[in-house]
Amino acid sequence: MTLEEQVRVVVKALEDKKAEDIRTYDVRGVSGLCDAFVVATGTAAPHLKGLVGGTQRAMKEVGVESFRTSGDPESGWIVVDYIDVVVHVFSPEARAYYGLEKIWKDAKSIV
C-alpha cells in the first residue's frame, strides 16, 4: 500500500467521524521520523477517542496495524504511529498550543 493510499484511508476515517481541520503533510526528506503527518481536531475527549478508534479500524481493514499509540483523550492530544504515517488528533486548545502546522509549514500536502 502506497503512502498516499494510507493517508487517504486515514483522512477518510477522520472525515467519517467528523474531524475538523484535517491537514496532511508530506515530510519525506524533511523528517527522519516518518514520511507523512496527518493532523486533525476533535471537539472533546470522547470525540478524540472516536477519531482514533475509527482511524485504527479503517487502517486495520486495509492491513495496516499501528506501531504505537500515545496520549490520552483527556490530555487533548493522541498520536497514532503507523511507521510511515503518524496521526495527531488534538483538542482545539492543544492544537493551538503545540502549533505543528508552524513546524511543517513548508511541507507539501499529500491529499
Side-chain angles (χ1 to χ4, degrees):
M1 176 169 249
T2 69
L3 178 67
E4 289 78 8
E5 290 168 333
Q6 288 183 55
V7 170
R8 281 189 197 99
V9 169
V10 169
V11 168
K12 171 108 172 57
L14 292 168
E15 288 173 342
D16 288 350
K17 293 290 184 179
K18 309 296 185 217
E20 298 176 356
D21 197 18
I22 302 167
R23 304 290 171 112
T24 63
Y25 298 94
D26 184 341
V27 294
R28 290 177 277 201
V30 178
S31 170
L33 299 174
C34 63
D35 292 333
F37 284 112
V38 178
V39 180
T41 301
T43 56
H47 191 205
L48 298 180
K49 186 175 178 179
L51 293 172
V52 168
T55 300
Q56 289 175 320
R57 280 188 295 282
M59 289 294 275
K60 190 173 185 177
E61 286 176 10
V62 297
V64 180
E65 296 276 347
S66 62
F67 173 70
R68 170 177 274 162
T69 302
S70 300
D72 181 86
E74 299 301 324
S75 75
W77 187 6
I78 304 172
V79 180
V80 185
D81 185 350
Y82 291 101
I83 307 297
D84 294 330
V85 179
V86 175
V87 181
H88 297 268
V89 179
F90 287 103
S91 68
E93 298 81 14
R95 187 167 179 173
Y97 179 79
Y98 289 104
L100 291 186
E101 285 85 356
K102 292 175 190 164
I103 296 169
W104 303 113
K105 68 180 179 202
D106 295 329
K108 292 188 255 179
S109 178
I110 292 181
V111 292

